[in-house]
Amino acid sequence: MNCRHCGTSLEHTFLDLGYAPPSNAYLTEADLSKPEKYYPLKVKVCSYCWLVQTEDYARADELFSSDYAYFSSTSSSWLMHAKYYAQNIIQRLNLNQSSYVIEVASNDGYLLKNFVAAGIPCLGIEPTNSTADAAENINIPVLRKFFGKLLGEQLAINGQQADLIVGNNVYAHVPDINDFTCGLKAALKPTGTITLEFPHLMRLLEFNQFDTIYHEHFSYLSLTSVERIFKAAGLRIWDVEQLPTHGGSLRIYGCHDEDIHPNTENVRKILAEEKQFGLQNINTYQNFQARASKIKNDLLQFLIDQVHLGKKVVAYGAAAKGNTLLNYAGIRPDLIPVVYDSALAKQGKYMPGSHIPILSSALLKNTLPDYLLILPWNIAGEIKNENSELVKAGVRFIAAIPELAAI
Ligand SMILES: [Zn+2]
């Protein structure tokens, strides 16, 4: 396989997590009697441009089927994050009624509704029908397509170039990152700004976040690699911020290469930090497998010990990252009998691979387990606050990442 950005032959495996079904392929009761598709989950690193990427294995349209269950508005902290972003960017770029905002992967309208409320014309691009329906129900125009070079050029021809293009947690999910970036370039006005948010590879390495690796997540990005990809498409990164979301993300601000925006000091600073951390050194990537394996072994040891002690461990949050962890560790309902979740769309279904049933989080207070394993550790604080009565009742909250520990 060759690098999806620069075409260099990929010689180095960063992490091998075995075989797993797509992490969002939640199963119905009827699905349990059918065969389940597993794909290799292996991540490579390019020793030329340092793009970390999953091995090729399946088509994007197979992964993002129309019943894809994730609705961004489910998380209250994410809604607040989107609201603050909208308020700030409207001010920073002086956006008004004559501006145009495009969001790629606009999901259920969790973000664009803030622009609609401010009277700023906008367009969501979203291939998933269920979330696009939800956005249209709150008066957000949606184009139901995958974004790329062709669609970017079509928008330009239609006079729909944007003053602001937003992409939150989509850039790492696109299979052809060069084509997607050319689309951004084509759909951007000469003085426009692109902001993209994506989990920061440096934090993944630093905090053992190997469970954020799944098939739908094609690239693991650093400022170093994204700056290079932008440059090849005629774009330039003029500012960058570090965010606490998803265990540590970057928000980059891009413009046309020839735009007059001066680069902020942040760009130089984070590039230097990444170099210092070793993101351009193959050794940095090569001991990661052992760290993932240690977390798996520690978790299994703990679960088996609790079985022997007669204690009950259940999980909370049927998140994609939970599926990576459970399937890599080979955990099945004998060790964790149930996962509780507050999202209606997942309740009554089963986790892919592990086949652990998902029940409403409202039922949790009736059972009072000894331990609650929080799978989406990035919102562990939010989950603990929402369930303070369980803490009072003596339920212990734990997470497996960055290491097995109490929360
Ligand atoms: Zn490369």
Side-chain angles (χ1 to χ4, degrees):
M1 176 188 169
N2 294 333
C3 173
R4 290 202 188 91
H5 170 56
C6 75
T8 300
S9 167
L10 296 175
E11 311 290 346
H12 304 280
T13 294
F14 166 52
L15 191 61
D16 186 347
L17 295 172
Y19 290 78
S23 66
N24 282 301
Y26 294 92
L27 304 168
T28 62
E29 185 134 21
D31 291 331
L32 295 181
S33 54
K34 297 175 191 159
E36 195 175 6
K37 261 192 196 172
Y38 276 61
Y39 301 92
L41 187 49
K42 198 188 265 189
V43 184
K44 304 267 195 179
V45 57
C46 175
S47 57
Y48 183 73
C49 75
W50 304 105
L51 181 65
V52 174
Q53 49 203 293
T54 48
E55 204 174 57
D56 276 331
Y57 76 99
R59 285 168 37 227
D61 52 2
E62 202 175 293
L63 293 176
F64 296 100
S65 61
S66 59
D67 59 353
Y68 177 59
Y70 187 73
F71 284 73
S72 293
S73 295
T74 314
S75 164
S76 57
S77 58
W78 185 243
L79 282 174
M80 286 303 284
H81 175 79
K83 192 174 174 186
Y84 285 134
Y85 163 81
Q87 285 169 348
N88 289 331
I89 200 78
I90 288 169
Q91 246 178 7
R92 190 169 184 189
L93 303 180
N94 291 317
L95 300 175
N96 56 42
Q97 283 78 350
S98 55
S99 309
Y100 195 54
V101 175
I102 293 176
E103 186 187 13
V104 183
S106 51
N107 197 272
D108 57 10
Y110 75 100
L111 175 76
L112 287 181
K113 67 179 183 183
N114 298 294
F115 292 91
V116 169
I120 298 167
C122 62
L123 175 70
I125 297 174
E126 176 56 62
T128 308
N129 282 325
S130 54
T131 53
D133 287 345
E136 282 181 344
N137 285 341
I138 53 170
N139 299 320
I140 295 164
V142 181
L143 199 54
R144 297 180 186 221
K145 289 192 169 158
F146 280 101
F147 186 77
K149 186 165 184 269
L150 202 65
L151 184 56
E153 288 171 350
Q154 196 60 53
L155 289 165
I157 290 165
N158 296 348
Q160 288 176 287
Q161 280 183 322
D163 297 276
L164 171 66
I165 304 178
V166 190
N168 286 341
N169 297 310
V170 59
Y171 203 45
H173 287 76
V174 295
D176 188 344
I177 199 161
N178 290 340
D179 181 79
F180 185 93
T181 312
C182 288
L184 295 175
K185 167 93 180 167
L188 189 68
K189 276 189 192 165
T191 56
T193 289
I194 299 161
T195 75
L196 301 177
E197 290 180 24
F198 48 80
H200 193 184
L201 173 65
M202 195 161 80
R203 302 291 168 236
L204 186 159
L205 286 157
E206 195 176 4
F207 298 114
N208 300 327
Q209 299 164 350
F210 72 87
D211 60 340
T212 61
I213 292 170
Y214 40 84
H215 299 109
E216 300 90 324
H217 198 171
F218 288 88
S219 306
Y220 302 84
L221 300 163
S222 60
L223 187 58
T224 307
S225 59
V226 174
E227 194 201 32
R228 187 185 285 266
I229 296 165
F230 262 46
K231 196 172 178 189
L235 295 166
R236 175 166 57 84
I237 295 172
W238 59 272
D239 195 13
V240 57
E241 292 165 358
Q242 288 176 296
L243 307 170
T245 45
H246 296 282
S249 296
L250 291 181
R251 176 189 291 147
I252 57 145
Y253 294 74
C255 62
H256 290 285
D257 202 13
E258 63 279 11
D259 199 343
I260 53 164
H261 272 293
N263 287 4
T264 66
E265 175 59 18
N266 286 346
V267 178
R268 194 202 57 76
K269 192 175 136 258
I270 294 177
L271 285 174
E273 270 176 31
E274 289 185 348
K275 190 158 191 201
Q276 176 71 25
F277 186 86
L279 287 191
Q280 298 181 47
N281 182 340
I282 196 68
N283 297 328
T284 308
Y285 300 91
Q286 293 198 317
N287 67 354
F288 198 68
Q289 182 84 44
R291 287 157 65 188
S293 171
K294 181 179 184 324
I295 287 173
K296 175 185 75 148
N297 293 341
D298 288 350
L299 178 60
L300 281 171
Q301 185 73 58
F302 170 80
L303 293 172
I304 293 165
D305 287 349
Q306 300 319 308
V307 169
H308 290 150
L309 291 167
K311 304 284 188 190
K312 187 173 180 191
V313 186
V314 300
Y316 191 100
K321 54 169 71 68
N323 289 321
T324 295
L325 176 69
L326 296 171
N327 287 323
Y328 172 55
I331 293 169
R332 298 290 176 265
D334 56 327
L335 292 178
I336 296 183
V338 53
V339 178
Y340 292 95
D341 198 284
S342 58
L344 270 177
K346 289 181 185 167
Q347 293 166 9
K349 294 196 172 165
Y350 294 80
M351 300 285 267
S354 66
H355 297 187
I356 299 174
I358 304 165
L359 296 181
S360 163
S361 52
L363 300 171
L364 189 48
K365 59 180 184 299
N366 304 340
T367 63
L368 291 183
D370 297 288
Y371 291 94
L372 191 61
L373 174 67
I374 307 296
L375 297 174
W377 43 260
N378 54 309
I379 51 167
E382 186 180 330
I383 292 169
K384 199 173 176 185
N385 287 339
E386 284 168 4
N387 292 281
S388 54
E389 76 283 8
L390 296 177
V391 181
K392 279 183 209 139
V395 177
R396 277 170 282 185
F397 286 57
I398 54 171
I401 310 284
E403 58 182 353
L404 187 65
I407 293 165

